[in-house]
C-alpha cells in the first residue's frame, strides 16, 4: 500500500491541519516508508512462534519482566461502597441520563 500526495492532503484536511506542499511531500515519504516496513514485517512467516511478554526477553532473558501471579488480593467491597449510592441495580450505579 502506498499513498499519494492527495491522500496526505486529504488526511490533513480530515485532521483539520494546515500543511504546506513541502511538508506534505516529506510526510508522504515518511508514511510510505512506514507502509513499506509493515509490508516487510507482514511477509515474515511467524507460524509456531509464541508471542513474548516483553520483546527484550528473546535477546536478554535476565532483563525480562518478572510477572506476578494474577490473584485477587483485596476483598470484594462493592456492596459496602454502593450502600451510600442514591440508586443501584444489579451491582451497577444508576445515574440520570445526560444525553437525549
Amino acid at each position: 500500500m502506498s499513498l499519494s500526495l492527495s491522500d496526505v492532503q486529504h488526511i490533513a484536511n480530515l485532521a483539520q491541519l494546515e500543511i504546506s506542499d513541502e511538508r506534505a511531500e516529506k510526510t508522504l515519504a515518511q508514511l510510505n516508508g512506514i507502509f513499506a516496513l509493515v509490508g516487510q514485517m507482514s511477509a515474515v512467516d511467524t507460524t509456531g512462534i509464541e508471542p513474548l511478554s516483553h520483546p527484550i526477553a528473546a535477546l536478554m532473558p535476565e532483563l525480562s519482566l518478572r510477572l506476578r501471579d494474577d490473584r485477587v488480593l483485596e476483598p470484594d467491597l462493592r456492596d459496602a461502597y454502593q450502600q451510600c449510592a442514591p440508586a443501584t441495580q444489579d451491582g451497577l450505579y444508576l445515574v440520570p441520563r445526560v444525553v437525549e
Side-chain angles (χ1 to χ4, degrees), residues 8 26 30 33 37 41 47 77 81 85 91 98 100:
V8 172
K26 288 180 182 178
Q30 291 173 340
L37 178 63
M41 292 170 62
T47 54
L77 299 175
Y81 293 148
V98 294
E100 297 296 326

Side-chain angles (χ1 to χ4, degrees), residues 56-66:
I56 196 79
L59 301 173
M60 304 172 84
E62 68 277 4
L63 293 180
S64 65
L65 296 177
R66 293 174 185 88

Side-chain angles (χ1 to χ4, degrees), residues 19-94:
I19 189 169
S20 67
D21 290 339
E22 180 184 334
R23 185 66 184 154
E25 289 177 13
K26 288 180 182 178
T27 303
L28 174 64
Q30 291 173 340
L31 288 172
N32 282 334
I34 291 169
F35 289 139
L37 178 63
V38 170
Q40 288 176 348
M41 292 170 62
S42 296
V44 175
D45 182 21
T46 59
T47 54
I49 298 175
E50 293 294 322
L52 299 171
S53 62
H54 198 277
I56 196 79
L59 301 173
M60 304 172 84
E62 68 277 4
L63 293 180
S64 65
L65 296 177
R66 293 174 185 88
L67 301 178
R68 69 176 197 276
D69 292 337
D70 189 14
R71 311 181 273 130
V72 176
L73 301 175
E74 297 179 5
D76 180 12
L77 299 175
R78 181 177 63 184
D79 294 334
Y81 293 148
Q82 289 186 343
Q83 285 180 354
C84 62
T88 61
Q89 179 181 349
D90 300 326
L92 303 173
Y93 294 95
L94 300 177

